[in-house]
Amino acid sequence: KKTLHWDASNVEAIACLASHHFYTDQPEIALRFYRRLLQMGVNNTELWNNLGLCCFYASQYDMTLSCFERALALAGDENMADVWYNIGQVAIGIGDLGLAYQSFKIAVSVDSNHAESFNNLGVLELRKGNVESAKSNFITSAEMAEHTFEPFYNNALLSFKMGDFQESFEQASKALETYPEHSDSQELRKQLNQHFTLL
């Protein structure tokens, strides 16, 4: 805000404010800042991608897909996977799991190291009953992005449900190493500790 006080057209400052409002559950306000960037002549994949997400979370569904279409039209190989990943996230939000699955598949075909898409593909495979494919996707995601906790937790939960308690404990511990405050991982490891003490 201080930067904008001195330079009202500072693109980075406006983008930071928009991002801040988006991640503090104020997509309508973020949308205003992103639209300001459009008015200033900024026209890139990331901006249209963020506009699409803001429109979706602000319940402006009619604008969401057109923003993503523009993002895809401007996207190159380095950021197309992120756009498809976000389209998949929106598809999950509206309940279209077929579109979500296809979006994540396209994301990993464009960027074979897109860990978040592999994780979400694992969740969707599990919903279809494809346990081995789900596990494989969780492992792939965890190997690519050791800084994320989701694939470790998802793999831990899957291992727990399959009765592989040792693997579940190891995966839950890895999730907690990455994100110690994750309550679901804490609860799972607590259940596993109770199970192990009964043995």
Side-chain angles (χ1 to χ4, degrees):
K1 285 184 177 180
K2 290 180 182 177
T3 303
L4 290 175
H5 179 72
W6 298 108
D7 178 9
S9 62
N10 187 298
V11 172
E12 290 84 8
I14 295 170
C16 285
L17 276 174
S19 178
H20 169 75
H21 286 292
F22 179 78
Y23 286 110
T24 54
D25 294 328
Q26 298 172 324
E28 297 87 0
I29 296 172
L31 201 51
R32 288 176 40 206
F33 285 108
Y34 285 131
R35 284 186 176 154
R36 168 85 185 266
L37 290 173
L38 277 178
Q39 292 169 346
M40 292 170 55
V42 178
N43 185 32
N44 60 35
T45 302
E46 291 79 12
L47 177 58
W48 285 106
N49 189 45
N50 291 343
L51 275 164
L53 289 172
C54 285
C55 286
F56 176 71
Y57 288 110
S59 301
Q60 296 183 13
Y61 304 119
D62 55 330
M63 295 294 298
T64 302
L65 287 179
S66 62
C67 288
F68 283 123
E69 284 174 357
R70 289 204 183 181
L72 285 172
L74 295 169
D77 289 342
E78 69 281 350
N79 52 14
M80 187 172 287
D82 291 330
V83 178
W84 279 110
Y85 170 78
N86 286 319
I87 292 170
Q89 291 290 91
V90 168
I92 287 173
I94 62 172
D96 189 344
L97 300 184
L99 175 61
Y101 186 82
Q102 290 303 314
S103 297
F104 296 134
K105 280 291 207 185
I106 293 170
V108 298
S109 74
V110 172
D111 179 2
S112 59
N113 293 317
H114 203 268
E116 295 86 356
S117 292
F118 276 109
N119 181 62
N120 287 2
L121 278 171
V123 172
L124 293 174
E125 289 287 3
L126 195 56
R127 285 183 58 97
K128 291 180 175 182
N130 302 330
V131 175
E132 290 306 314
S133 292
K135 189 164 191 66
S136 173
N137 281 315
F138 294 146
I139 291 169
T140 302
S141 178
E143 288 171 353
M144 290 177 182
E146 294 181 1
H147 62 279
T148 60
F149 72 93
E150 291 93 343
F152 293 115
Y153 172 72
N154 290 336
N155 199 3
L157 192 59
L158 177 58
S159 297
F160 181 80
K161 290 181 178 180
M162 293 173 61
D164 189 350
F165 300 124
Q166 184 62 41
E167 175 69 13
S168 180
F169 184 83
E170 290 170 11
Q171 294 297 314
S173 296
K174 287 180 183 177
L176 288 169
E177 284 174 24
T178 307
Y179 181 33
E181 293 83 31
H182 186 237
S183 58
D184 291 336
S185 293
Q186 290 172 346
E187 182 61 34
L188 180 59
R189 197 163 72 170
K190 182 180 170 186
Q191 287 179 2
L192 288 162
N193 281 330
Q194 290 173 347
H195 177 77
F196 291 144
T197 55
L198 292 175
L199 297 176

